[in-house]
């Protein structure tokens, strides 16, 4: 969204000027594409992880400014609420032992951050939704004290014009309201970036959309919110509802939510940026002094600041990103599907699976998106969020007869997607040792039908059966999760249940 957003009021002329600037930016992007000004392929990938702060009791700690002061590293930044942080890993070239290097960097960074957080009685927990969060934790007074978050909240609340309604009907049913976007802060994710050329962008984005359901099924890690057991991956419905600028009347008219899966396969990166302008009013109409077309006329590279800012307020699960590095523009696909955690090994395994699968799908002679209706891909995504590793999907039938068939997530991943991921990682030049280690984690999750969400649910119910109250069982599950997360063995190996020490806290 941009670091230098300054809070202030907007008037009617601001929005009109911003819309004009957005159109200029879009024309600038179109010219950059026409003139083939974008960076050549470098096979660069990047990784961001949103984190929770919790105490030894498993409860959230509203201490991110103090923890960041202790960490004193530009790799760590604030996130939406005071119990959130984000860590950014520098871009790496896909190939060789890249995944082992990433894992080692993350271990070093997170261990350091955890030690520093311990100085103010907090710790780092890498999980999709912290099970111990309560409604009183997710209020506007607990938003990070940063202008861009305050302003974003004010603008979304003003656009909606009434309280936000959370209504998630899963294993149990949660209904409540919120006066702010603070519930969005419960969602902590892993964001995977891939720099791509304009010519490859559409194929990579379409492949990422098709693969999103399998990613969620394998990586689900967010089954609880406000003490209720909901979907196996409850972040997507929570994120959509807590950022929804549409009152019920606009929802009934079919106006698109700002958090969405999309509605069609694309043929160019331009399609997505253009849709964002066509469908979504500005939330932050802050204008830059740059004239992007004049910069292009002079042979320069425009920042397209308004387009970048607006793009950051449309929450696609696979988002297009325009950036400039070393004076050269580039495009990235930002994959925002996955929850954080459970362990660094699990995060890197999810990343290896993703980068391998999309490479293979994007280069397939018969692309999956030519054989799978977009509506089916969207329905697969919802099914994966609801049921996790037990989901069933619609998928193109193999062989010459065409059409689609229904397949369970585990069979699809083991029989079709893991072999594709293996071929994709080979195409990236990833060493077999890295490939086999991390794809082996995905295969074992399939074999045992275990991911973060299923472990959390099983452990919670075991704690309930032992006589703990719901609140105590959630806290004990969170403490045990944090303990095993720090041990670092992948989640499919974790024993179910809460030992006596974790029960007592």
């Amino acid at each position: 969204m941009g670091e230098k957003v300054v809070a202030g009021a907007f008037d009617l002329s601001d929005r009109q000027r911003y819309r004009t600037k957005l159109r200029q930016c879009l024309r600038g992007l179109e010219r950059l594409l026409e003139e083939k000004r974008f960076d050549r392929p470098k096979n660069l990938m990047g990784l961001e992880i949103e984190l929770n702060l919790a105490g030894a009791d498993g409860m959230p700690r509203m201490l991110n400014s103090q923890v960041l002061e202790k960490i004193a590293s530009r790799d760590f930044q604030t996130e939406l609420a005071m119990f959130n942080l984000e860590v950014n890993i520098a871009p790496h070239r896909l190939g060789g032992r890249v995944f082992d290097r990433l894992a080692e960097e993350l271990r070093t960074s997170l261990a350091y951050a955890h030690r520093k957080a311990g100085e103010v009685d907090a710790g780092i927990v890498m999980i999709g939704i912290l099970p111990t969060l309560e409604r009183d934790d997710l209020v506007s007074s607990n938003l990070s004290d940063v202008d861009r978050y305050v302003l974003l909240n004010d603008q979304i609340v003003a656009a909606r014009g009434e309280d936000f309604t959370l209504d998630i009907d899963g294993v149990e049913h949660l209904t409540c309201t919120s006066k702010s976007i603070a519930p969005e802060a419960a969602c902590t994710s892993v964001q995977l970036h891939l720099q791509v050329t304009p010519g490859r962008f559409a194929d990579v984005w379409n492949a990422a959309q098709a693969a999103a359901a399998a990613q969620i099924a394998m990586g689900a890690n967010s089954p609880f919110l406000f003490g209720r057991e909901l979907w196996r991956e409850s972040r997507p419905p929570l994120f959509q509802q807590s950022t929804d600028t549409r009152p019920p009347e606009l929802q009934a008219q079919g106006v698109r939510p700002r958090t969405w899966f999309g509605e069609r396969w694309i043929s160019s990166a331009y399609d997505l940026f253009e849709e964002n302008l066509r469908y979504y009013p500005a939330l932050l109409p802050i204008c830059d002094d740059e004239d992007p077309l004049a910069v292009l006329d002079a042979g320069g590279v425009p920042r397209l600041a308004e387009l970048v800012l607006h793009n950051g307020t449309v929450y696609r699960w696979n988002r297009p990103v325009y950036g400039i590095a070393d004076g050269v523009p580039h495009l990235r696909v930002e994959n925002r599907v996955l929850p954080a955690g459970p362990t660094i090994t699990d995060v890197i395994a999810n990343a290896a699976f993703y980068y391998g699968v999309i490479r293979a799908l994007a280069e397939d002679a018969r692309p999956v998106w030519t054989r799978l209706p977009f509506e089916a891909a969207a329905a697969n995504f919802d099914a994966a969020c609801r049921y996790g590793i037990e989901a069933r999907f619609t998928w193109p039938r193999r062989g010459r007869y065409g059409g689609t068939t229904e397949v369970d997530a585990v069979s699809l991943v083991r029989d079709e997607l893991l072999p594709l991921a293996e071929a994709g990682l080979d195409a990236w030049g990833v060493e077999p040792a890295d490939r086999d280690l991390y794809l082996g984690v995905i295969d074992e999750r399939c074999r045992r039908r275990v991911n973060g969400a299923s472990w959390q649910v099983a452990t919670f119910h075991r704690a309930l059966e032992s006589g703990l109250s719901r609140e105590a069982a959630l806290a004990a599950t969170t403490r045990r999760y944090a303990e095993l997360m720090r041990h670092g063995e992948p989640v499919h190996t974790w024993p179910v249940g809460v030992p006596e020490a974790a029960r007592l806290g």
Side-chain angles (χ1 to χ4, degrees), residues 12-79:
L12 297 179
S13 64
D14 289 325
R15 295 185 183 279
Q16 290 168 334
R17 181 168 173 248
Y18 188 77
R19 186 177 289 114
T20 300
K21 285 294 299 284
L22 276 175
R23 291 195 188 110
Q24 290 176 347
C25 287
L26 191 64
R27 176 59 189 141
L29 177 69
E30 189 175 35
R31 279 183 55 182
L32 285 165
L33 290 166
E34 288 169 354
E35 295 168 15
K36 297 182 167 47
R37 296 277 299 279
F38 284 90
D39 202 1
R40 287 180 286 283
K42 289 182 176 174
N43 296 351
L44 285 179
M45 55 85 71
L47 178 68
E48 304 168 43
I49 308 176
E50 295 164 350
L51 307 163
N52 289 283
L53 293 173
D57 56 0
M59 308 305 289
R61 291 286 190 271
M62 307 296 166
L63 294 169
N64 66 355
S65 60
Q66 295 94 315
V67 172
L68 283 169
E69 195 174 316
K70 296 282 187 186
I71 294 172
S73 166
R74 285 186 297 179
D75 292 343
F76 288 83
Q77 300 171 350
T78 54
E79 256 300 326

Side-chain angles (χ1 to χ4, degrees), residues 23 31 33 53 74 88-89 104 125 127 176 203 252 263 288 342 388 446 456 498:
R23 291 195 188 110
R31 279 183 55 182
L33 290 166
L53 293 173
R74 285 186 297 179
N88 297 287
I89 298 298
E104 190 53 39
V125 181
I127 193 168
C176 62
D203 288 349
E263 60 191 16
D288 190 86
C446 288
Q456 286 186 58
V498 179

Side-chain angles (χ1 to χ4, degrees), residues 256-276:
R256 294 156 184 86
R258 292 193 89 95
T259 301
W260 73 323
F261 186 77
E263 60 191 16
R264 64 185 177 120
W265 306 115
I266 64 167
S267 56
S268 165
Y270 181 87
D271 295 351
L272 299 177
F273 289 101
E274 188 276 331
E275 274 186 357
N276 287 356

Side-chain angles (χ1 to χ4, degrees), residues 19-256:
R19 186 177 289 114
T20 300
K21 285 294 299 284
L22 276 175
R23 291 195 188 110
Q24 290 176 347
C25 287
L26 191 64
R27 176 59 189 141
L29 177 69
E30 189 175 35
R31 279 183 55 182
L32 285 165
L33 290 166
E34 288 169 354
E35 295 168 15
K36 297 182 167 47
R37 296 277 299 279
F38 284 90
D39 202 1
R40 287 180 286 283
K42 289 182 176 174
N43 296 351
L44 285 179
M45 55 85 71
L47 178 68
E48 304 168 43
I49 308 176
E50 295 164 350
L51 307 163
N52 289 283
L53 293 173
D57 56 0
M59 308 305 289
R61 291 286 190 271
M62 307 296 166
L63 294 169
N64 66 355
S65 60
Q66 295 94 315
V67 172
L68 283 169
E69 195 174 316
K70 296 282 187 186
I71 294 172
S73 166
R74 285 186 297 179
D75 292 343
F76 288 83
Q77 300 171 350
T78 54
E79 256 300 326
L80 183 60
M82 293 180 183
F83 63 90
N84 299 143
L85 299 176
E86 181 174 89
V87 60
N88 297 287
I89 298 298
H92 283 63
R93 194 179 300 274
L94 268 164
R97 299 300 298 268
V98 61
F99 295 116
D100 259 358
R101 289 201 307 277
L102 279 170
E104 190 53 39
E105 286 180 36
L106 277 171
R107 284 188 192 99
T108 301
S109 292
L110 294 186
Y112 173 74
H114 182 65
R115 285 198 306 276
K116 289 298 180 182
E119 294 176 15
V120 291
D121 191 29
I124 303 292
V125 181
M126 195 165 51
I127 193 168
I129 297 175
L130 196 64
T132 49
L133 282 170
E134 297 176 356
R135 287 180 59 186
D136 289 347
D137 296 318
L138 292 166
V139 293
S140 56
S141 58
N142 282 336
L143 293 177
S144 294
D145 187 19
V146 177
D147 275 344
R148 69 184 186 277
Y149 299 137
V150 173
L151 186 54
L152 183 67
N153 177 66
D154 290 349
Q155 293 301 304
I156 291 179
V157 168
R160 184 173 173 86
E162 59 189 77
D163 287 355
F164 297 86
T165 300
L166 301 182
D167 187 345
I168 305 174
D169 194 3
V171 176
E172 297 175 305
H173 193 179
L174 172 71
T175 55
C176 62
T177 59
S178 172
K179 295 186 179 300
S180 76
I181 65 169
E184 179 203 329
C187 307
T188 47
S189 66
V190 171
Q191 288 134 41
L192 300 172
H193 291 253
L194 180 63
Q195 184 178 324
V196 292
T197 58
R200 292 192 65 210
F201 187 96
D203 288 349
V204 171
W205 188 86
N206 289 338
Q209 289 285 96
Q215 283 183 274
I216 287 278
M218 294 299 103
N221 196 28
S222 314
F224 298 109
L225 178 66
F226 300 157
R228 302 287 172 86
E229 182 184 342
L230 301 174
W231 294 10
R232 287 303 184 255
E233 187 50 48
S234 303
R235 283 169 43 259
L238 171 59
F239 203 106
Q240 178 173 322
Q241 293 175 21
S242 60
T243 59
D244 202 340
T245 55
R246 309 168 304 161
E249 296 81 5
L250 291 183
Q251 294 179 36
Q253 291 173 37
V255 172
R256 294 156 184 86

Side-chain angles (χ1 to χ4, degrees), residues 435-453:
R435 178 199 68 200
D436 295 345
L437 172 63
Y438 292 107
L439 294 185
V441 170
I442 304 296
D443 188 51
E444 279 298 298
R445 281 191 217 152
C446 288
R447 193 176 69 80
R448 304 187 195 198
R449 291 184 177 262
V450 171
N451 58 17

